Amino acid sequence: MSTAAQLPDHLETSADRHALRRMQFGWYINDWANAAFSATVLTVFLGPYLTSVAKNAADAAGDVHPLGLSIRAGSFFPYTVSFSVLVSVAVMLVTGTVADRTGRHKELMCGFAYVGSIATMGMFFLGGDRYLLGGALLVVANIAYAVSVALSYAYLPRLATPDERDAVSSKGWAYGYAGGGLLLIANLALFEGHDALGLSSGTAVRICLASAGLWWALFTIVPMLRLPSRAGAGPERAAAAPDRPAAGSLRELARTLRGMRQYPLTLLYLAAFLCYNDGIQTVVSQASLYGSEELGMDQTSLVAAVLLVQIVAIGGALLLGRIAGRYGAKRTILGSLVAWVFTLALGYVMPAHRPIWFFALACMIGLVLGGSQALSRSLFSHLVPAGKEAEYFSFYKVSDRGTSWMGPLVFGLAYQITGSYRSAIISLLVFFVIGFAVLVKVPLRRAVEAVGNPVPERL
């Protein structure tokens, strides 16, 4: 194994420490880069804007007809998010296996980042009744985002010792919220000043969407320069056979799927995470739609609220990281899930046309959002067999950030049936309750020992 791969456990020289800091900074900036898509596109602008475009294309009954299906225009965005994630599942699993098989984690990570950024920049051309164009670009961008981020997660075991991973993961998440928040400030200024600039509100939104793609592309240069090609800290593995690398990777994926049955406790933790994080990501991706359609918030209030989430989440991620250092990541995550239940309850009873209450909800979300996700990521890194990082984190990424599919599907169905976004938002309680119950049952120390990893002092 190369010296670089051993850095977390063998920081014997100043050169080693400097190399590690360079890699960590590149990894942090990768979160800074892709957070623009999560915050500006998924969380703020695209949901309400794509819904308005779909309504422009709707028939007299308020329905649109993609691929011959009849659905409410108001359900088009959450359904599209769900479809993109269903496709991304297969793409992530195969790509993660290819990455571990070939050792080209960085090349694949950055390649998908640029595919996603180009699709996001293409959203500038979304307007009028082009809801199908918007849906297609969202599918491509969200799949590319999911795959790129899953591959970046695979670097965590290489960048920190077991006892340092909570702190490093939390810092990476803080960088992400800082980067996403900074771009949102610029986009808020643009949207607020669109009249003075001679722009319509729709044109201003399309510029904001495209800016997220440009931001993503520019800052991805940093991890390209600072991260090594191979992510994992495990032993080097043979490169794919040059004749049929894809077939070899598919066989490797099949072996991984069979091998995961050897680690039932890892699978139990993954089931808990996939459940509660579906709820988290649906709240994040549908919050702007809920605020605009149910609570009567204008675009300025929506952007300001999400910006508030970004700012509070920076401190929240670092705070929960410190709490985890004292009480353990599992207890801290469980506490954050209780806070999420109270947050949903507040959203359900919140009066319409009262921005102050919407901002209070944003603060509650920000406080627990970054910390619960950062600690879930670092906790899972202990449960991954060495050399299988990208493959296992591809399973993990199925429900991470804006890529959940069960939550948006339940949200969309609840609105389809009741016509009320309040019913849709309260329907998400089931994800947090089940996730909490499953996580309580996971014996983490036994799970870490089962995959052959060193057990940190606190879990």
Side-chain angles (χ1 to χ4, degrees):
M1 188 189 305
S2 65
T3 301
Q6 300 175 6
L7 280 174
D9 296 316
H10 303 280
L11 301 181
E12 296 178 355
T13 69
S14 60
D16 288 340
R17 291 190 292 271
H18 177 69
L20 178 61
R21 286 194 295 270
R22 279 181 57 84
M23 287 195 299
Q24 287 176 339
F25 182 73
W27 191 68
Y28 297 151
I29 293 300
N30 191 64
D31 270 2
W32 172 285
N34 60 49
F37 175 76
S38 177
T40 293
V41 178
L42 283 181
T43 308
V44 182
F45 288 105
L46 188 58
Y49 186 69
L50 184 55
T51 299
S52 69
V53 172
K55 288 181 176 180
N56 289 338
D59 58 20
D63 294 337
V64 291
H65 306 277
L67 304 177
L69 303 173
S70 295
I71 63 174
R72 284 179 181 256
S75 294
F76 179 72
F77 175 69
Y79 283 169
T80 304
V81 172
S82 293
F83 175 75
S84 71
V85 177
L86 288 173
V87 178
S88 72
V89 170
V91 179
M92 282 190 291
L93 295 180
V94 173
T95 305
T97 306
V98 171
D100 283 338
R101 182 174 169 81
T102 64
R104 296 185 177 275
H105 298 82
K106 180 176 70 173
E107 290 82 356
L108 289 167
M109 180 186 78
C110 294
F112 275 98
Y114 280 109
V115 169
S117 65
I118 291 170
T120 304
M121 285 186 275
M123 292 177 185
F124 176 78
F125 302 101
L126 174 61
D129 60 356
R130 299 176 186 170
Y131 77 99
L132 288 176
L133 173 63
L137 291 174
L138 172 57
V139 168
V140 173
N142 207 23
I143 291 171
Y145 168 79
V147 176
S148 178
V149 173
L151 292 171
S152 76
Y153 286 2
Y155 278 91
L156 183 56
R158 183 168 186 167
L159 298 177
T161 64
D163 287 319
E164 294 172 343
R165 286 183 199 169
D166 289 343
V168 171
S169 183
S170 296
K171 189 173 181 180
W173 226 276
Y175 265 81
Y177 283 116
L182 184 61
L183 183 62
L184 270 181
I185 291 173
N187 284 333
L188 177 59
L190 172 65
F191 185 81
E192 284 294 292
H194 69 267
D195 286 332
L197 296 172
L199 302 173
S200 67
S201 60
T203 300
V205 169
R206 291 188 288 113
I207 291 174
C208 292
L209 292 171
S211 73
L214 181 62
W215 177 283
W216 190 2
L218 288 176
F219 285 103
T220 296
I221 295 173
V222 178
M224 282 180 63
L225 297 177
R226 295 205 170 192
L227 289 176
S229 287
R230 178 173 290 277
E236 299 292 330
R237 302 170 68 188
D243 54 345
R244 298 183 66 193
S249 296
L250 288 173
R251 288 193 297 269
E252 186 71 15
L253 173 60
R255 285 194 292 269
T256 296
L257 290 171
R258 291 192 298 268
M260 289 185 75
R261 292 179 296 181
Q262 302 175 25
Y263 310 115
L265 297 181
T266 296
L267 293 177
L268 186 62
Y269 174 82
L270 189 59
F273 172 77
L274 294 182
C275 189
Y276 70 72
N277 202 56
D278 256 331
I280 292 174
Q281 292 312 313
T282 307
V283 172
V284 171
S285 65
Q286 307 303 321
S288 291
L289 183 61
Y290 182 73
S292 63
E293 298 294 324
E294 186 68 38
L295 301 181
M297 298 293 111
D298 58 25
Q299 190 70 57
T300 301
S301 296
L302 293 175
V303 175
V306 175
L307 179 58
L308 186 59
V309 170
Q310 299 290 117
I311 294 173
V312 175
I314 297 171
L318 297 176
L319 174 62
L320 265 65
R322 291 179 65 88
I323 293 173
R326 182 169 183 178
Y327 297 104
K330 180 179 177 179
R331 290 182 180 179
T332 307
I333 294 171
L334 290 172
S336 74
L337 297 183
V338 174
W340 275 109
V341 170
F342 282 104
T343 300
L344 281 181
L346 175 62
Y348 179 75
V349 301
M350 184 173 295
H353 308 291
R354 298 288 296 275
I356 188 65
W357 284 101
F358 193 59
F359 294 152
L361 181 66
C363 287
M364 292 181 64
I365 291 175
L367 188 62
V368 292
L369 176 61
S372 58
Q373 293 181 310
L375 294 176
S376 297
R377 176 171 66 180
S378 59
L379 201 54
F380 184 69
S381 72
H382 298 294
L383 309 180
V384 177
K388 295 280 190 178
E389 290 84 3
E391 296 167 52
Y392 274 69
F393 270 111
S394 293
F395 286 95
Y396 177 92
K397 183 58 189 164
V398 166
S399 186
D400 192 30
R401 285 206 173 165
T403 63
S404 57
W405 67 272
M406 290 185 296
L409 180 61
V410 169
F411 187 93
L413 286 173
Y415 178 77
Q416 181 90 13
I417 294 170
T418 68
S420 169
Y421 283 108
R422 291 187 187 270
S423 298
I425 201 72
I426 204 65
S427 70
L428 301 178
L429 275 176
V430 64
F431 294 99
F432 295 99
V433 173
I434 295 176
F436 183 98
V438 176
L439 182 57
V440 167
K441 298 294 186 180
V442 181
L444 287 175
R445 291 190 177 276
R446 283 172 47 202
V448 175
E449 292 170 349
V451 298
N453 287 333
V455 181
E457 183 179 350
R458 288 186 178 87
L459 278 172

